[in-house]
Structures are given as structure tokens and as C-alpha cells.
Amino acid sequence: MPTIKDYYLPKRPTLLFSLHPEPTQAIINGTKILEYRRRFFARPFQAFVYTTGDNGGIQLFLRCDQGLQLVPE
């Protein structure tokens, strides 16, 4: 069975997202593919997703491409 060591890249920036259960489940289902944050890494990064709540904890590990930096209109 694979572990995080099989996927984690030590030299890549790592972020911890804290999300409510609904957005976490939407990511798992593939219905949520965008996440807005004020600040992101300017280059590809990896992220652990911590789900809040009574049954919360680290539920996902993601590798992300470079974030889009757009001016909101």
C-alpha cells in the first residue's frame, strides 16, 4: 500500500489547507477544482488538506500546478 513517502517531494513548497467537510468532499468527488486564496505559491506546490470538524484531520494530499494570479473583476 502506498504511503505519503511515495508522493511527497521534499524540495517542493508545501501548504496546509484547512477546509470544512463539504469543500473537502467536493474535491474528492471532482466537483471542486478551484480554490481561491489571497496568497499562493508562485510556482508548483503540494498541499495537505485538513478537514475541520469532529471527524476531521488530514484527508488529502494534493500536487498543484502554479496558481493563477488574476485581478478580481
Side-chain angles (χ1 to χ4, degrees):
M1 183 169 160
T3 66
I4 192 64
K5 289 181 183 181
D6 297 318
Y7 301 100
Y8 183 76
L9 302 173
K11 294 185 179 181
R12 184 171 281 193
T14 305
L15 183 68
L16 175 65
F17 282 114
S18 180
L19 297 175
H20 291 284
E22 294 81 11
T24 300
Q25 190 59 48
I27 292 170
I28 292 168
N29 295 341
T31 57
K32 180 176 177 56
I33 57 171
L34 295 174
E35 174 68 19
Y36 172 79
R37 297 284 166 151
R38 275 188 170 188
R39 296 188 304 189
F40 251 72
F41 289 110
R43 57 191 173 121
F45 63 95
Q46 56 198 354
F48 291 96
V49 177
Y50 175 85
T51 304
T52 62
D54 294 338
N55 297 320
I58 301 290
Q59 290 194 318
L60 295 172
F61 176 77
L62 308 169
R63 282 203 194 144
C64 304
D65 286 331
Q66 180 173 323
L68 297 175
Q69 295 181 355
L70 304 171
V71 177
E73 295 178 354

